[in-house]
């Protein structure tokens, strides 16, 4: 088992919305605001943020097999799957998307993804007063199904 790639992406969050989807996927709708954290379906995974408007940091890791859960103080953790026909994912929020892509390295696959997050409670408080940057931290671990 080994780590293949790592990257960090800054994701703008608006109205608590945050999700990722394959760049080739076309959705006419946005995820429901009450969708469960880490819920997946086809080429989309809903993450939802703890803060209204801010910038979150996502650290993405691609593994060749299931990695161990990362140690640390994670407020939430969820595991699901995502279909990635194009092999690249984009982070989206209501009305915006990140310019950077999460490169999975292989097209036409379904991937397991474990989502771990810290800073949700803190960003909820701070986003009520300002536009925080980097308080909410995500670790996304991908490995093939």
């Amino acid at each position: 088992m080994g780590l293949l790639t790592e990257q960090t992406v800054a994701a703008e969050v608006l109205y608590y919305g945050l999700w990722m989807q394959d760049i080739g996927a076309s959705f006419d709708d946005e995820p429901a605001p009450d969708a469960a954290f880490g819920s997946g379906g086809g080429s989309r995974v809903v993450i939802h943020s703890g803060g209204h408007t801010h910038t979150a940091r996502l650290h993405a890791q691609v593994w060749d097999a299931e990695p161990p859960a990362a140690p640390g103080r994670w407020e939430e953790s969820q595991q699901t799957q995502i279909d990635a026909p194009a092999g690249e994912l984009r982070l989206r929020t209501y009305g915006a998307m990140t310019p950077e892509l999460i490169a999975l390295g292989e097209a036409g696959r379904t991937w397991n993804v474990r989502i771990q997050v810290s800073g949700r409670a803190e960003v909820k408080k701070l986003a009520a007063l300002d536009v925080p940057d980097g308080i909410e931290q995500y670790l996304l671990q991908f490995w093939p199904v």
Side-chain angles (χ1 to χ4, degrees), residues 85-114:
E88 294 180 298
L89 305 175
R90 183 174 307 279
L91 294 163
R92 300 185 62 99
T93 189
Y94 300 108
M97 65 182 85
T98 60
E100 295 174 81
L101 301 176
I102 297 173
L104 299 175
E106 205 173 322
R109 295 197 76 142
T110 298
W111 295 84
N112 292 299
V113 58
R114 180 183 300 127

Side-chain angles (χ1 to χ4, degrees), residues 41-52:
S43 296
R44 176 192 284 171
V45 172
V46 177
I47 299 171
H48 284 314
S49 173
H52 185 280

Side-chain angles (χ1 to χ4, degrees), residues 61-79:
Q61 299 177 334
V62 179
W63 294 75
D64 61 2
E66 182 175 1
R73 296 174 50 121
W74 301 104
E75 292 173 42
E76 291 197 51
S77 181
Q78 188 60 257
Q79 187 170 312

Side-chain angles (χ1 to χ4, degrees), residues 1 8 12-13 16 21 38-39 43 52 54-55 69 71 82 84 90 107 112 115 122 124 130 139:
M1 168 182 59
T8 301
E12 299 301 319
V13 175
Y16 304 96
Q21 66 188 48
S39 58
S43 296
H52 185 280
H54 67 100
T55 302
I82 188 166
R90 183 174 307 279
N112 292 299
I115 306 162
E122 185 68 15
K124 183 175 184 173
D130 200 358
L139 175 60

